[in-house]
């Protein structure tokens, strides 16, 4: 159950006309009063003799009783209270009790003999009500509605439990500001799927990912097509910034600017600068057409190290790694191939909430992740095929592990919203991984099925020796041939399968993976420094014959064992 308190307004009659009207974003069905301050208020929805004007005058009476100079300029308080999708339909009587509890909790009408404001609750849909009140109490005083939003949320958590509704995770004040109803209505009128605030938040977040300083950050904002205003001190020092969409205008035709701090708590300029304050001089970006895949391979290594930090490091250091993981995810979403783009953007949007908490990040240990995000952006878009596609699967596998580790870390700290957001991000990542991994795993699977039986049995024995508790599960999985082909690739270039598997399995828990063999494929290929999508460029015939027990059959790499070097096909 979500109460959403809007900024105060100045026209009671205008709000009532909307609540009892046909609706602009969604159809209003049977608008009617479910509760009011004295249960005797007129109901223009169901009483033919009642009018909107009569209800407005009743609610505004304490305001009008004050001298004109003492009346608040913005005297209309308004909140909606909405149940979650899938919740049962509440009766009018239940909604009436919800309204009474919300106005009491927020100080609008505290009860217990205390003077309160006049209010009315209107229902025009199955899943929500609107409460309108005027911010002058019956005795002419102002209500104690300080932090009414937090008080309403706390009461909603209690109501959810008592009514058996979906229980929303409690917040901690670090979430980004929600779009207002006016912003949502404006987006609807303009045909936008998201509000300007949400679009700007995503654009700024991507501009931050891997940036090294003010100049690069503002260049990225401009390249994204945003309008930017900088706040400069008399000394010439840059103090802050605000951004706008070129086509988002107010009634006077001027761009609507949002300061970074109003987009999200960590997008103010001082908080952004904290990220690059500890950055070391960077190495040059990888040149050539393989830059995207090289950047993804290095990102996977950085993510692997970060998992250990989140599991075992100090809280402030873990918080920094979790924030930097968000930058890697934003960089991947920005450079992703078309077939993974939707899921990666969904993951980045969800994980944005998981990247902040009251545990202040200590910078320094997140440098490798920030460097990885920078290389991903500078490496450019991935085509999603061949090595690009396979290294994308590799990095998504490792990023999934880190985000699950972040979810567990947040859960241990009692950060319910962040843990839930990390799990939502993980679901999107799983979808992106399945798409990215399908083709390269299919190639490896086919090669594994073509391995000589003695070699296949040798790799199976290595699995049993290195990880006896999971061996039978791995050998029974559909992905086992892909892992067998990968172990054969590693053996062909000098690695011992048993030792390699023990090292790979020992660094991460594997029991909760959907496919242990798929996870091991990418970790083995990365640790053994194998190409992600295939096998080494050159392998001597001698090494192939050493690893293949039957001459002339398909070898460890899926090629015919002939004399001379074997090229990748």
């Amino acid at each position: 159950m979500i109460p959403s308190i809007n900024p105060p307004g100045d026209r009671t009659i205008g709000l009532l006309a909307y609540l009892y009207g046909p609706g602009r974003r969604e159809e209003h069905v049977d608008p009617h009063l479910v509760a009011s301050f004295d249960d005797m208020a007129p109901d223009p929805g169901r009483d033919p003799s009642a009018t909107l004007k009569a209800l407005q005058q009743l609610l505004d009476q304490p305001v009008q009783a004050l001298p004109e100079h003492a009346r608040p300029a913005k005297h209309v308080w308004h909140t909606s209270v909405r149940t979650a999708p899938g919740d049962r339909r509440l009766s009018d009587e239940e909604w009436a009790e919800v309204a009474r509890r919300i106005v009491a909790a927020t100080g609008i009408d505290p009860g217990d003999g205390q003077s309160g404001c006049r209010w009315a609750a209107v229902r025009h849909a199955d899943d929500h009500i609107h409460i309108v009140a005027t911010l002058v109490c019956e005795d002419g005083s102002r209500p104690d509605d300080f932090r009414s939003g937090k008080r309403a949320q706390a009461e909603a958590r209690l109501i959810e439990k008592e009514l058996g509704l979906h229980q929303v995770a409690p917040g901690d004040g670090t979430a980004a500001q929600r779009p207002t109803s006016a912003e949502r209505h404006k987006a609807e009128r303009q045909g936008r799927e998201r509000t300007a605030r949400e679009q700007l938040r995503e654009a700024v977040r991507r501009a931050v990912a891997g940036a090294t300083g003010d100049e690069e950050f503002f260049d990225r904002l401009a390249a994204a097509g945003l309008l930017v205003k900088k706040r400069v001190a008399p000394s010439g020092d840059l103090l802050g910034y605000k951004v706008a969409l070129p086509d988002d205008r107010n009634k006077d035709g001027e761009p609507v600017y949002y300061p970074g701090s109003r987009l999200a708590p960590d997008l103010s300029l001082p908080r952004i600068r904290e990220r690059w304050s500890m950055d070391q001089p960077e190495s040059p970006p990888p040149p050539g057409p393989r830059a995207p895949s090289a950047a993804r391979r290095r990102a996977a290594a950085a993510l692997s190290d970060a998992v250990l930090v989140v599991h075992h490091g100090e809280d402030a250091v873990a918080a920094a790694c979790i924030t930097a993981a968000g930058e890697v995810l934003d960089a991947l979403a920005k450079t992703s191939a078309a077939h993974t783009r939707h899921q990666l953007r969904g993951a980045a949007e969800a994980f944005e909430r998981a990247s902040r908490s009251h545990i202040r990040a200590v910078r320094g240990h997140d440098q490798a992740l920030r460097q990885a995000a920078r290389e991903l952006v500078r490496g450019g878009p991935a085509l999603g095929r061949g090595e690009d596609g396979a290294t994308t699967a590799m990095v998504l596998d490792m990023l999934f592990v880190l985000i699950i580790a972040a979810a567990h870390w947040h859960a241990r700290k009692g950060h319910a919203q962040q843990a839930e957001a990390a799990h939502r991000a993980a679901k999107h990542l799983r979808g992106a991984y399945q798409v990215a991994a399908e083709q390269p795993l299919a190639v490896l699977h086919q090669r594994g099925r073509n391995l000589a039986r003695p070699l296949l049995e040798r790799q199976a024995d290595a699995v049993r020796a290195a990880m006896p508790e999971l061996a039978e599960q791995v050998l029974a999985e559909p992905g086992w041939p892909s892992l067998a082909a990968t172990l054969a690739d590693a053996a062909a270039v000098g690695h011992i399968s048993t030792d390699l598997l023990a090292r790979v399995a020992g660094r991460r828990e594997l029991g909760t993976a959907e496919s242990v063999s798929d996870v091991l494929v990418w970790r083995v290929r990365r640790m053994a420094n194998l190409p992600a999508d295939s096998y080494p460029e050159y392998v001597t015939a001698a090494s192939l014959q050493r690893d293949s027990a039957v001459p002339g059959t398909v070898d460890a790499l899926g090629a015919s064992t002939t004399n001379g070097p074997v090229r990748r096909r």
Side-chain angles (χ1 to χ4, degrees), residues 173-206:
T174 62
Q177 183 175 329
R178 293 175 179 270
T180 66
S181 59
E183 291 171 351
R184 291 194 298 270
H185 295 164
K186 184 178 182 180
E188 180 74 14
R189 291 195 305 271
Q190 295 175 341
R192 301 178 189 269
E193 293 185 1
R194 296 183 300 164
T195 65
R197 183 191 299 274
E198 291 168 318
Q199 292 181 64
L200 289 168
R201 182 185 303 135
E202 180 180 20
V204 173
R205 207 178 61 233
R206 289 186 183 176

